[in-house]
């Protein structure tokens, strides 16, 4: 527990410390007085993703009708949403528990393992009226999940033959085919790196000329003409959609007849 400089009438000391074995509480009779609680020593297992946070306060009130305000803080600076809590009537001998937040409540901030492992604190304001408030203990529970980054294509890659008018060279005898394929990304990570790629159509070491165009996030209609068709992309926490578009040219004069094979892929990096 950390007293806020200038907090005024919160009585903080060894004789009235939070969670003291003698049952005494931190007390305040003034309006709009802040107190800061810290030293929770929070640590998460390696690799997990924080999903929510719950703050539980044990306290009471006498002749204080307004709620107390509760907010997270990092190194003394308020962060995120401001919550309100009503304590039951009674002094320190009859405190009740009140909880705020939960498994998926981030309190309006980006919960990362860095934030959790830093000096995460709970800031409490005594409210807008006079009367006694009592706080006996403050607890912080952090909920977390395993990290995931799901990438998938949403559909099939079906090529549609085009016309010879799509080819600039008038002597070209063949056809240009096009295909589009949407994809989606869902991750609970702050950011997830993945690769969108394509191996060109080949038959007996013969490769068909292909243009790969993709759109994702703020990257729109980006073209890759080979020889490497791989786009490193990044998705932030949440669900996102993108699209892949391929244009393949095949000449009746120079390209051997038969079946050509290619592969499109999505691959997460680091998971």
């Amino acid at each position: 527990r950390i007293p806020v400089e200038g907090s005024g009438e919160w009585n903080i000391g060894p004789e009235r410390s939070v969670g003291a074995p003698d049952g005494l509480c931190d007390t305040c009779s003034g309006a709009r007085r802040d107190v800061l609680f810290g030293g929770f020593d929070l640590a998460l297992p390696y690799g997990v993703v924080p999903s929510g946070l719950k703050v539980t306060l044990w306290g009471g009130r006498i002749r204080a009708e307004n709620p107390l305000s509760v907010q997270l803080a990092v190194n003394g600076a308020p962060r995120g949403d401001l919550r309100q809590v009503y304590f039951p009537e009674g002094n320190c001998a009859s405190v009740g528990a009140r909880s705020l937040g939960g498994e998926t409540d981030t309190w309006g901030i980006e919960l990362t393992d860095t934030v959790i492992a830093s000096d995460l604190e709970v800031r409490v304001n005594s409210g807008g009226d006079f009367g006694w408030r009592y706080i006996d203990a403050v607890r912080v529970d952090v909920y977390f999940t395993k990290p995931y980054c799901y990438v998938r294509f949403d559909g099939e890659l079906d090529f549609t033959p085009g016309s010879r008018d799509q080819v600039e060279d008038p002597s070209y005898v063949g056809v240009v085919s096009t295909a589009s394929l949407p994809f989606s990304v869902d991750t609970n990570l702050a950011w997830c790196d993945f690769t969108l790629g394509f191996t060109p159509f080949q038959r007996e070491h013969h490769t068909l000329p292909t243009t790969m165009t993709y759109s994702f996030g703020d990257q729109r209609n980006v073209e890759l003409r080979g020889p490497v068709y791989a786009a490193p992309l990044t998705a932030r926490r949440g669900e996102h959609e993108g699209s892949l578009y391929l244009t393949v040219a095949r000449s009746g004069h120079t390209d051997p007849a038969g079946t050509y094979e290619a592969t499109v892929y999505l691959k997460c990096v680091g998971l």
Side-chain angles (χ1 to χ4, degrees):
R1 54 205 183 276
I2 308 169
V4 176
E5 184 176 354
S7 62
E9 298 176 35
W10 278 99
N11 186 341
I12 303 173
E15 74 282 6
R16 292 184 181 272
S17 59
V18 170
D22 57 6
L24 297 178
C25 298
D26 286 5
T27 62
C28 178
S29 61
R32 294 179 292 277
R33 305 299 183 183
D34 287 330
V35 62
L36 199 62
F37 299 96
F40 296 106
D41 295 326
L42 300 172
L44 297 179
Y46 177 77
V48 302
V49 178
S51 62
L53 189 146
K54 181 174 71 174
V55 175
T56 302
L57 304 97
W58 284 262
R61 61 185 173 88
I62 295 178
R63 295 189 302 276
E65 300 301 326
N66 289 346
L68 281 73
S69 297
V70 181
Q71 191 174 21
L72 300 180
V74 176
N75 296 323
R79 297 279 296 273
D81 299 338
L82 189 68
R83 306 293 174 85
Q84 292 185 328
V85 61
Y86 284 91
F87 282 145
E89 292 189 6
N91 58 19
C92 187
S94 58
V95 297
R98 296 291 185 267
S99 294
L100 302 168
E103 295 185 18
T104 59
D105 192 335
T106 64
W107 290 67
I109 67 175
E110 185 175 0
L111 288 179
T112 64
D113 53 353
T114 301
V115 171
I116 297 300
S118 66
D119 292 330
L120 188 68
E121 300 148 345
V122 176
R123 191 184 189 98
V124 179
N125 183 276
S126 61
D129 62 350
F130 293 91
W132 286 100
R133 292 91 168 166
Y134 304 87
I135 298 179
D136 180 55
V138 179
R139 171 174 169 165
V140 174
D141 291 287
V142 180
Y143 300 90
F144 56 85
T145 60
K146 293 182 178 180
Y148 66 80
C149 182
Y150 302 131
V151 291
R152 68 180 185 185
F153 289 110
D154 300 317
E156 297 180 353
L157 195 62
D158 293 326
F159 280 89
T160 302
S163 67
R164 294 186 178 88
D165 296 337
Q166 293 178 263
V167 184
E168 296 179 0
D169 184 357
S171 64
Y172 179 86
V173 178
V175 67
V176 173
S177 299
T178 60
S180 62
L181 184 62
F183 64 91
S184 59
V185 183
D186 181 14
T187 181
N188 65 349
L189 296 168
W191 59 84
C192 171
D193 296 326
F194 67 100
T195 302
L196 170 66
F198 165 73
T199 59
F201 285 91
Q202 289 186 331
R203 176 181 170 81
E204 299 175 354
H205 305 293
H206 188 85
T207 302
L208 299 180
T210 304
T211 299
M212 168 181 157
T213 306
Y214 67 89
S215 295
F216 184 77
D218 57 358
Q219 302 184 54
R220 313 302 298 177
N221 300 319
V222 180
E223 286 191 358
L224 298 177
R225 295 180 178 271
V228 178
Y229 298 89
L233 300 171
T234 299
R236 296 189 66 82
R237 181 178 290 116
E239 299 180 7
H240 310 274
E241 295 180 349
S243 61
L244 169 68
Y245 187 82
L246 296 177
T247 304
V248 183
R250 181 175 179 181
S251 170
H253 288 320
T254 60
D255 298 327
T259 301
Y260 288 75
E261 295 183 354
T263 302
V264 292
Y265 62 88
L266 287 166
K267 181 172 63 176
C268 285
V269 179
L271 285 180

